[in-house]
Amino acid sequence: PVNAILACQHKYYARQVLQQVAPEANPAFELLNAEYGAPIPDGLQYPAFVKPVKAAFSVLARRVDNQQELHDHTRFGRWELWVIRRLVEPFDRIVRERLGKDVPSAHHMLLEAPVQAAQYNLDGYVFDNQVHAVGVVDAIMYPRTQAFMRHQLPTRLAPSVQARALDVARRFLGAVGFTHGLFNMEFFYDEASDRLTVIEFNPRMASQYSDLYRRVLGVDLHAIGLALAHGTDPASLPVIA
């Protein structure tokens, strides 16, 4: 459903929904109340992880440790502003039409409490309003960076934590009306504190893992997507030998 896709992709709106249905999996967050290039308000909490309300491929997403770093990060040139506005504006207009006029503009940055923990990806699908897990992939980073070194399957995550992640996904997807399709939930899990924190929901197949699932588990994500497009239950698909 279009509204569910919009709800997932508007990062501030998604955080608001998650706060209602699974607050234990949500970091502290707030909207940066400043226009592009405007002065940074006082009184914000640092360090913070800043990212656009609507973006892709982690563009302009990074940790900032103080007001000056946030100021420097949000100074955009004329060409950058031209691109940002024309990329975000169509999305922002559709969000207002579909989700309501009171939804904050996507022409903002979002601040979140930074999390230092291992990162994982829950991949699954919804068919006939039922949420099903395909698997969990571990995201291994280069030390002290946000850069992926590799993705690992089978996961090292305990089955009980995988079940908790699926429960969070079930609550969120139900709240935004995601009733049919593939999804990917990125999340952190801190073993020391036993804390699971959602990074974001992607209302689509994580195509970068399709070959991994096929080779390791014998599960074809593209076949699942095709089955869903035809209204066929993916559970009926054979496992690839």
Side-chain angles (χ1 to χ4, degrees), residues 40 43-50 61-74 111-116 144 146:
I40 300 301
L44 299 177
Q45 296 295 313
Y46 300 98
F49 193 82
V50 59
R62 60 159 292 187
R63 173 184 166 125
V64 291
D65 290 322
N66 51 58
Q67 188 177 37
Q68 185 61 49
E69 286 190 5
L70 182 56
H71 171 88
D72 294 343
H73 183 62
T74 54
L111 299 174
E112 300 174 349
V115 178
Q116 296 294 325
R144 298 177 297 279
Q146 296 173 211

Side-chain angles (χ1 to χ4, degrees), residues 30-49:
E30 62 180 311
L31 200 65
L32 178 59
N33 189 21
E35 298 294 329
Y36 297 137
I40 300 301
D42 295 325
L44 299 177
Q45 296 295 313
Y46 300 98
F49 193 82

Side-chain angles (χ1 to χ4, degrees), residues 47-195:
F49 193 82
V50 59
K51 58 187 178 185
V53 166
K54 177 68 179 82
F57 302 111
S58 299
V59 174
L60 297 178
R62 60 159 292 187
R63 173 184 166 125
V64 291
D65 290 322
N66 51 58
Q67 188 177 37
Q68 185 61 49
E69 286 190 5
L70 182 56
H71 171 88
D72 294 343
H73 183 62
T74 54
R75 300 306 100 177
F76 305 122
R78 186 174 301 174
W79 168 246
E80 291 173 310
L81 286 173
W82 187 90
V83 172
I84 290 170
R85 289 195 173 106
R86 279 153 184 78
L87 286 175
V88 175
E89 181 57 35
F91 173 81
D92 196 45
R93 187 170 62 250
I94 296 171
V95 164
R96 298 296 185 88
E97 292 175 358
R98 289 281 192 152
L99 301 183
K101 301 295 184 182
D102 57 338
V103 176
S105 170
H107 288 286
H108 281 92
M109 304 292 279
L110 176 65
L111 299 174
E112 300 174 349
V115 178
Q116 296 294 325
Q119 185 172 328
Y120 301 89
N121 298 269
L122 168 65
D123 296 285
Y125 65 90
V126 184
F127 179 78
D128 196 23
N129 292 316
Q130 299 299 309
V131 181
H132 303 271
V134 171
V136 173
V137 174
D138 301 356
I140 312 299
M141 306 292 187
Y142 285 100
R144 298 177 297 279
T145 74
Q146 296 173 211
F148 295 118
M149 181 167 62
R150 70 178 187 272
H151 295 91
Q152 186 167 294
L153 187 72
T155 180
R156 297 172 296 180
L157 199 61
S160 60
V161 182
Q162 295 181 54
R164 283 167 54 190
L166 182 61
D167 178 62
V168 169
R170 185 176 290 113
R171 282 182 274 164
F172 175 84
L173 294 171
V176 298
F178 193 98
T179 58
H180 189 90
L182 281 154
F183 72 89
N184 164 265
M185 183 183 94
E186 300 177 35
F187 65 98
F188 295 113
Y189 178 67
D190 186 338
E191 189 173 359
S193 63
D194 193 31
R195 175 82 189 274

Side-chain angles (χ1 to χ4, degrees), residues 188-206:
F188 295 113
Y189 178 67
D190 186 338
E191 189 173 359
S193 63
D194 193 31
R195 175 82 189 274
L196 185 155
T197 306
V198 171
I199 301 171
E200 65 182 16
F201 280 88
N202 298 304
R204 54 169 173 77
M205 179 203 331

